[in-house]
Amino acid sequence: MQAKSIPPNNFTFPPLLKACGSLSNLPTTKQIHSHIFLHGLIFDKFISSALIDAYGKSDSPTNASQVFDELPQQIVDVVSWTSLISSFSLNGFLNEAFESFAKMKRSDDPECRKGDVVCLSALVSACVVVSNDLNCLTNGKSVHALVIKNGFEWNVRLGNSFIHMYSVFKAVDEAVRVFDEIPIERRDAVSWNSLISGLVINSEPKRALSIFDQMTSLGSVGVAPNRVTMVAVLKSCAELGCSETSKRIHDYIFCHHYSLLSSNDIVVLTALIDMHCKCGNLELARRIFDGVKGRNVICWSAMIAGYEQNLYPEEALRLFSKMLEEEDNEGVQVKPNEVTILSVISACSGLGASRPGRVIHKYILATGLDYDARISSALIDMYAKCGDLELARWVFNEMDDSRKTVISWSSMIGAEGLHGEGRRALHLLSEMENHGFQPNEVTFVSILSACSHAGLLEEGKSCFDRMARDHGISPTVKHYSCMVDLLGRAGRLDEAHGLILSMPFEADLAVWGSLLAGCSLHKNFELGELVGKKILSLDSSSVGHRVLLANMYEDAGRWDDVLRMRVELRKKGLRKIAGQSFIEIGKEVFSFIAEDRSHHKWKMIYNELDALDDRVRNETNTKVEEDEVEEIITRCKYHSERLAIAFGLMMRSSSISSISTSSSRAKRNNGSKEIELLPIRIMKNLRVCRDCHVYTKLVSKVAKIELIVRDTNRFHHFKDGVCSCGDYW
């Protein structure tokens, strides 16, 4: 047009400015502004309003305000004011938006005093942009009152805006009320989607699904669900975690919205995968995943997280390796993001194997993802749970102070506590506060647990008191559970029981279970029986607590009660969880159960265990010790952790095995080499029994090897006949 010397007119610039606003292109907007000025069209009210709007959408409300201020009063109308208010609203200038609205209300123009739908919607949007300020909700309610006063309450666009605003401010009932006030025949897809999405973000999945059912039951009177609806509904199902509901929604999509699946809509398919994973339908999720073409990082992350959350860490790691070899729809290699890495680290934690964790750590360092404090905190937690406390400390110490967060400090405190380093955990808490960080609920769970594992009674009680007094944190059921555990381990059973009775809410199974464990430890059978009955009244299907109660009866010689408990278990079809121990050998993780003969070298493992028993016997010095050791050896002869220890020692010394854990650190001492063997690490899914605990101490002494055993409570570091827990666990 310019090349042909055709002069622009007042119809030329509004569409150009609209395009600039859509692209958020500030430089081009300024160039067009210059052309408008040169052609003397700056005071055309349609062009000026379009220019104000373009500046607002190009992130420049200051320029928008300047254009507005230069306009002659006679051409300023409700459209001009609306463009200015929208510019401020879009960019989060809430005060300026409302000040402009107040000025507009004082205008001589009756249309301006009333405002219009677009202007009022812009004000509602401004409140949502800065939703972290609760004063904005008050402003939003004022706008709502004005809408009703001026007779706009039946406007669907405004109604939808208020549904969204109230949802963002967690005023769910208000959002539902606005929705209900919109006549059914006037509700559009945005109305339904706004309410369903609002309920989802406010963690009310049942209500969201109920609204969806209403939407689909209206027939010709209602509105058909669309892509946005289905994504919100899938998120609701995922949060609800109900397998039956997820299958119902899955069938609905296949019947009514198959085009979303056949068109390879990755957003919908990813939401579908995520839903099935969170509802436990992993096979179905994997089938859908395998059928997605050009999977992006979000799709991969959903499936990896699904395996990790459903306790299939090996599959999560296997899929992650495959992901690194794949390309998306555009032929670009898929790169994991922070969410992917967090799931993978968590999978390593669940596996309890440090080797894949170290490989992932190297990848994180190579790709620069270690800048993310969440990832560093997850690494600390992962190394701690894999028994590598020194590596956890290294990760924490390598973090700049500016990158450390409350989560980082809490993770390190939890790591120290998990390994029985209660004093170190307390020192970290003090250091954390000195650096200006306020401990949160999670921090105090970690520190109280650390005190419990280390037997630091007074320190733990002091921390519990400080929660509310110094930090304004009301103890939750987890904090009370830690305190009951702390008091129970210390033998203060009556005090622990009194604490439970004084709780401001009902104690759960974890709290009563902690007291039952203390009663069992200190052989307080009377209180233990009382607590056991309370537990069974809360959960009659509890297996672990029944077994613990039966063991207490056995210690008390009450064999009739032991028999009664076992008969009850059998009648209810309840079975004790089988003890299982895991050991990492090379790149593989092997598992054992009691009296396991599934390993192809089981005979060699049993021979190794017999030889180990003989070495333990030979170390005893007195007849009393011989009798005690013999009982310990024979009573739990083939428990899973003993088989794992024997297998680890066998593989360490074997010269014919292709997989060996004989990695060593060479020390030079006067020209000779002294080989210091790395520890053998074992993970167990149950608490280590006392006999196996004593046995493992003896093995560490006679075999001159460090053994690190993780049970459900904590880590035990066995070395030279001593355990790091000090026999307090």
Side-chain angles (χ1 to χ4, degrees):
M1 182 179 181
Q2 285 181 302
K4 292 184 178 293
S5 300
I6 300 173
N9 58 23
N10 55 342
F11 293 102
T12 308
F13 292 109
L16 289 174
L17 290 167
K18 186 176 182 180
C20 290
S22 299
L23 296 171
S24 298
N25 192 323
L26 182 59
T28 306
T29 302
K30 287 183 175 181
Q31 287 178 359
I32 293 175
H33 187 175
S34 299
H35 283 288
I36 292 169
F37 187 82
L38 289 172
H39 287 85
L41 296 171
I42 193 65
F43 295 142
D44 180 281
K45 65 179 183 179
F46 296 108
I47 292 176
S48 59
S49 296
L51 184 58
I52 294 167
D53 184 67
Y55 272 128
K57 290 177 178 175
S58 299
D59 305 325
S60 184
T62 305
N63 282 321
S65 179
Q66 185 177 350
V67 171
F68 180 87
D69 291 341
E70 292 174 354
L71 291 177
Q73 284 299 311
Q74 61 269 25
I75 72 166
V76 174
D77 60 6
V78 69
V79 178
S80 310
W81 281 108
T82 299
S83 297
L84 179 64
I85 293 168
S86 297
S87 296
F88 286 133
S89 300
L90 279 172
N91 292 279
F93 286 68
L94 181 67
N95 292 334
E96 288 81 354
F98 273 89
E99 285 172 5
S100 298
F101 181 71
K103 290 178 182 178
M104 185 183 81
K105 292 284 290 176
R106 294 194 295 268
S107 170
D108 295 333
D109 185 346
E111 289 298 319
C112 288
R113 289 199 300 272
K114 185 178 180 182
D116 67 359
V117 170
V118 178
C119 177
L120 294 168
S121 295
L123 285 174
V124 178
S125 298
C127 296
V128 174
V129 169
V130 281
S131 57
N132 58 333
D133 184 355
L134 288 178
N135 289 327
C136 296
L137 178 58
T138 304
N139 290 331
K141 287 183 176 181
S142 299
V143 177
H144 195 176
L146 188 63
V147 165
I148 295 171
K149 179 181 177 181
N150 289 325
F152 289 129
E153 68 267 30
W154 300 114
N155 184 276
V156 177
R157 176 174 178 176
L158 280 170
N160 295 343
S161 297
F162 284 121
I163 292 169
H164 178 60
M165 181 196 75
Y166 284 124
S167 298
V168 168
F169 284 104
K170 302 187 184 305
V172 178
D173 291 337
E174 291 291 335
V176 173
R177 189 174 296 113
V178 173
F179 177 82
D180 288 341
E181 289 172 355
I182 302 174
I184 291 176
E185 66 275 7
R186 299 186 66 180
R187 294 173 191 165
D188 59 13
V190 178
S191 308
W192 291 96
N193 292 343
S194 296
L195 184 59
I196 292 171
S197 299
L199 291 167
V200 172
I201 64 174
N202 283 283
S203 301
E204 296 210 26
K206 287 186 178 179
R207 290 179 75 179
L209 290 171
S210 176
I211 297 297
F212 173 71
D213 289 338
Q214 289 180 35
M215 183 182 186
T216 55
S217 66
L218 291 174
S220 59
V221 182
V223 178
N226 58 21
R227 178 176 181 266
V228 177
T229 319
M230 296 320 305
V231 170
V233 168
L234 289 169
K235 287 180 180 178
S236 296
C237 290
E239 187 175 346
L240 197 60
C242 176
S243 178
E244 291 182 6
T245 305
S246 68
K247 288 176 180 176
R248 176 171 71 84
I249 298 300
H250 179 106
D251 292 341
Y252 176 86
I253 293 175
F254 265 80
C255 291
H256 298 87
H257 296 277
Y258 187 72
S259 60
L260 293 175
L261 308 180
S262 59
S263 62
N264 198 55
D265 189 316
I266 290 184
V267 175
V268 174
L269 290 170
T270 300
L272 197 59
I273 291 165
D274 181 62
M275 176 192 72
H276 284 307
C277 286
K278 288 179 178 172
C279 294
N281 304 322
L282 279 180
E283 290 185 12
L284 184 52
R286 184 58 189 264
R287 284 205 301 271
I288 296 168
F289 174 82
D290 288 339
V292 179
K293 298 174 183 177
R295 294 174 291 238
N296 59 18
V297 63
I298 301 173
C299 188
W300 282 96
S301 298
M303 194 67 237
I304 291 170
Y307 279 126
E308 184 274 318
Q309 291 161 4
N310 284 277
L311 306 180
Y312 288 94
E314 302 98 331
E315 286 299 323
L317 295 176
R318 198 172 292 122
L319 193 61
F320 176 69
S321 298
K322 186 178 179 182
M323 173 187 177
L324 298 178
E325 302 169 357
E326 293 288 320
E327 295 180 347
D328 62 15
N329 274 329
E330 298 176 358
V332 179
Q333 183 179 357
V334 181
K335 292 184 179 180
N337 58 18
E338 293 84 349
V339 176
T340 324
I341 294 299
L342 287 170
S343 293
V344 172
I345 294 173
S346 186
C348 293
S349 298
L351 196 59
S354 60
R355 183 184 293 272
R358 289 195 295 269
V359 173
I360 298 299
H361 191 180
K362 288 179 181 177
Y363 177 84
I364 290 168
L365 293 173
T367 54
L369 286 170
D370 58 318
Y371 75 89
D372 191 312
R374 295 173 302 166
I375 289 177
S376 295
S377 301
L379 283 171
I380 292 167
D381 182 68
M382 182 268 293
Y383 278 128
K385 289 178 178 175
C386 290
D388 283 325
L389 182 58
E390 289 302 323
L391 275 175
R393 289 170 177 165
W394 180 85
V395 173
F396 181 76
N397 292 330
E398 284 295 304
M399 294 178 69
D400 294 331
D401 287 343
S402 60
R403 284 180 48 234
K404 288 177 181 174
T405 64
V406 173
I407 298 174
S408 312
W409 287 96
S410 300
S411 296
M412 195 63 238
I413 289 170
E416 297 289 359
L418 190 61
H419 288 263
E421 298 287 351
R423 296 288 178 191
R424 280 180 176 264
L426 287 167
H427 175 73
L428 276 172
L429 177 64
S430 177
E431 197 176 341
M432 171 185 178
E433 292 177 299
N434 290 338
H435 278 77
F437 290 94
Q438 285 292 321
N440 60 17
E441 290 184 3
V442 176
T443 315
F444 277 105
V445 169
S446 297
I447 199 68
L448 291 173
S449 179
C451 290
S452 179
H453 288 151
L456 302 174
L457 178 62
E458 295 305 320
E459 292 85 346
K461 292 172 71 174
S462 175
C463 288
F464 186 77
D465 292 338
R466 286 177 53 206
M467 281 179 60
R469 187 186 67 227
D470 298 343
H471 301 284
I473 300 174
S474 299
T476 66
V477 69
K478 288 185 178 180
H479 300 110
Y480 277 103
S481 182
C482 290
M483 280 304 298
V484 171
D485 187 58
L486 174 62
L487 292 166
R489 290 174 190 273
R492 307 275 279 270
L493 299 174
D494 290 337
E495 189 176 345
H497 190 210
L499 181 64
I500 293 176
L501 298 179
S502 69
M503 286 170 57
F505 37 74
E506 192 70 26
D508 64 5
L509 282 175
V511 176
W512 287 110
S514 295
L515 182 56
L516 182 62
C519 292
S520 176
L521 178 65
H522 295 284
K523 304 192 184 307
N524 187 328
F525 305 123
E526 184 179 350
L527 180 59
E529 187 170 29
L530 180 69
V531 173
K533 289 178 179 177
K534 178 65 178 178
I535 289 173
L536 296 181
S537 71
L538 291 173
D539 182 9
S540 60
S541 62
S542 176
V543 178
H545 295 118
R546 284 180 182 274
V547 172
L548 187 56
L549 200 55
N551 291 341
M552 285 180 58
Y553 287 140
E554 186 176 342
D555 290 338
R558 295 169 55 175
W559 298 105
D560 289 343
D561 288 318
V562 174
L563 182 61
R564 175 174 58 82
M565 294 299 293
R566 289 176 178 170
V567 169
E568 284 180 8
L569 282 170
R570 192 175 296 112
K571 280 184 177 179
K572 290 179 177 291
L574 303 175
R575 298 185 65 183
K576 179 183 175 182
I577 298 172
Q580 197 169 7
S581 294
F582 304 86
I583 181 169
E584 184 182 10
I585 304 291
K587 295 182 180 180
E588 291 186 72
V589 176
F590 297 86
S591 66
F592 294 90
I593 59 173
E595 301 183 12
D596 201 333
R597 287 177 170 78
S598 61
H599 195 281
H600 67 283
K601 293 183 179 179
W602 70 269
K603 289 184 179 179
M604 295 175 64
I605 295 170
Y606 276 53
N607 290 337
E608 182 75 25
L609 184 58
D610 289 338
L612 196 56
D613 291 344
D614 289 339
R615 292 174 68 182
V616 169
R617 289 187 184 97
N618 293 335
E619 288 288 322
T620 57
N621 299 317
T622 67
K623 184 71 170 71
V624 175
E625 281 185 358
E626 285 180 9
D627 292 341
E628 289 178 353
V629 168
E630 191 59 40
E631 274 191 41
I632 289 168
I633 290 173
T634 56
R635 199 155 41 211
C636 306
K637 170 78 173 176
Y638 298 117
H639 273 197
S640 61
E641 56 266 56
R642 298 196 188 188
L643 294 175
I645 290 170
F647 180 61
L649 289 171
M650 183 184 80
M651 296 302 291
R652 181 183 291 276
S653 60
S654 174
S655 58
I656 58 172
S657 173
S658 59
I659 323 171
S660 174
T661 54
S662 60
S663 305
S664 60
R665 294 190 289 265
K667 290 183 177 179
R668 293 195 177 275
N669 184 18
N670 298 326
S672 64
K673 284 186 178 180
E674 178 187 339
I675 303 300
E676 181 188 348
L677 296 173
L678 291 173
I680 290 176
R681 304 174 192 275
I682 295 167
M683 306 288 167
K684 186 170 182 183
N685 66 334
L686 299 176
R687 185 176 182 270
V688 174
C689 72
R690 291 204 166 271
D691 285 338
C692 287
H693 190 268
V694 174
Y695 181 82
T696 309
K697 287 197 297 183
L698 294 171
V699 169
S700 72
K701 183 178 180 181
V702 301
K704 295 181 173 54
I705 185 70
E706 182 179 0
L707 294 153
I708 301 176
V709 179
R710 175 189 171 187
D711 67 5
T712 51
N713 285 341
R714 57 170 295 157
F715 272 94
H716 301 263
H717 295 252
F718 298 93
K719 192 172 183 180
D720 299 326
V722 177
C723 180
S724 60
C725 74
D727 299 334
Y728 187 88
W729 90 103

